[in-house]
Amino acid sequence: MKILPPVSYFIFIFFPAIQFGTIVAEGLIKFLITLGNGSHIYLDHVVQQIQCDNGKVGVKCLVNGTREVVFNGDCVLCTLPLGVLKRSVRNRNNAPLFHPELPFWKVDAINSIGFGNVNKIMLFFDKPFWENTRVFGQISDTMCATSRGEMFMFQAHRDKPVLIALVSGDSANALEEAPADIIVYKIMNFLSAVFGPICPKEV
């Protein structure tokens, strides 16, 4: 029996076979629906504790905020978001607890992982000018924190004249407040510097 986490948790699934620029028809939700086919999916089950004892695991849940239930099995696939997982290993409230606690090396690894805001900007052109280049990027020439993650990577769509610019960290936060024409101006300046005269003047 596969037990999927409550709907209040996100499931991060990576598919290495999917190339950059691939668009999944009807969205990635299709993958989750397929994974759920034939499985028991329990809603309104909030995971309280993940127990491990003698090679077996138990997932203790609170149902509808009142009734406690435990699912037992040989193993559990934990798909907690990183922020929730960090709270879990620190034994904070509002996060599932591990019993016994995870070993130090696992806790240390979890605590050392960082995460933050990432925004995507999609640029639609009349035709591709990047030839066979699928992924390219830049490193900011300034140490300013708000510029470090600015348009650090571009991904080209496989079949359409579309570029996707990625912006992360403080730059992503600043981007959300910037006017669209300023964002486009910065991107086109960078693309012109990379591709020269074959880069169009406008997006």
Side-chain angles (χ1 to χ4, degrees), residues 16 64 90 99 146 167 186 200:
N64 296 320
R90 294 171 185 164
H99 181 76
T146 55
V167 187
K186 286 186 174 184

Side-chain angles (χ1 to χ4, degrees), residues 125-139:
F125 296 91
D126 292 331
K127 60 181 181 180
F129 55 88
W130 45 86
E131 298 180 346
N132 294 323
T133 304
R134 291 297 179 196
V135 180
F136 59 94
Q138 66 171 335
I139 298 175

Side-chain angles (χ1 to χ4, degrees), residues 15-130:
F15 298 90
I18 296 179
Q19 299 182 23
F20 283 126
T22 299
I23 293 179
V24 180
E26 299 182 52
L28 292 175
I29 189 65
K30 280 294 185 180
F31 286 116
L32 301 183
I33 292 173
T34 301
L35 286 173
N37 284 341
S39 301
H40 297 285
I41 300 176
Y42 298 90
L43 304 179
D44 297 317
H45 284 56
V46 178
V47 176
Q48 301 288 303
Q49 190 176 74
I50 300 170
Q51 306 165 329
C52 183
D53 185 31
N54 293 325
K56 298 291 184 180
V57 295
V59 179
K60 185 187 296 184
C61 303
L62 198 61
V63 183
N64 296 320
T66 56
R67 183 169 58 90
E68 190 176 276
V69 63
V70 177
F71 295 96
N72 296 302
D74 296 316
C75 63
V76 60
L77 175 62
C78 181
T79 59
L80 295 173
L82 181 57
V84 176
L85 187 59
K86 284 177 177 286
R87 291 183 64 85
S88 293
V89 299
R90 294 171 185 164
N91 294 322
R92 301 288 178 83
N93 293 330
N94 301 320
L97 299 179
F98 291 94
H99 181 76
E101 294 181 359
L102 296 179
F104 171 77
W105 65 271
K106 284 188 179 181
V107 174
D108 191 48
I110 291 168
N111 287 331
S112 68
I113 301 173
F115 62 100
N117 191 13
V118 176
N119 284 323
K120 293 183 179 180
I121 305 165
M122 299 188 71
L123 305 161
F124 297 83
F125 296 91
D126 292 331
K127 60 181 181 180
F129 55 88
W130 45 86

Side-chain angles (χ1 to χ4, degrees), residues 95-194:
L97 299 179
F98 291 94
H99 181 76
E101 294 181 359
L102 296 179
F104 171 77
W105 65 271
K106 284 188 179 181
V107 174
D108 191 48
I110 291 168
N111 287 331
S112 68
I113 301 173
F115 62 100
N117 191 13
V118 176
N119 284 323
K120 293 183 179 180
I121 305 165
M122 299 188 71
L123 305 161
F124 297 83
F125 296 91
D126 292 331
K127 60 181 181 180
F129 55 88
W130 45 86
E131 298 180 346
N132 294 323
T133 304
R134 291 297 179 196
V135 180
F136 59 94
Q138 66 171 335
I139 298 175
S140 175
D141 57 1
T142 175
M143 293 302 292
C144 177
T146 55
S147 299
R148 271 201 302 267
E150 192 172 82
M151 274 73 79
F152 70 95
M153 181 184 293
F154 288 79
Q155 300 172 357
H157 190 280
R158 188 173 55 184
D159 303 314
K160 300 182 184 298
V162 176
L163 283 178
I164 302 171
L166 301 182
V167 187
S168 66
D170 290 340
S171 294
N173 298 329
L175 178 83
E176 294 173 1
E177 305 297 328
D181 56 339
I182 298 298
I183 297 170
V184 172
Y185 175 78
K186 286 186 174 184
I187 292 176
M188 295 310 296
N189 271 355
F190 170 71
L191 293 176
S192 295
V194 172

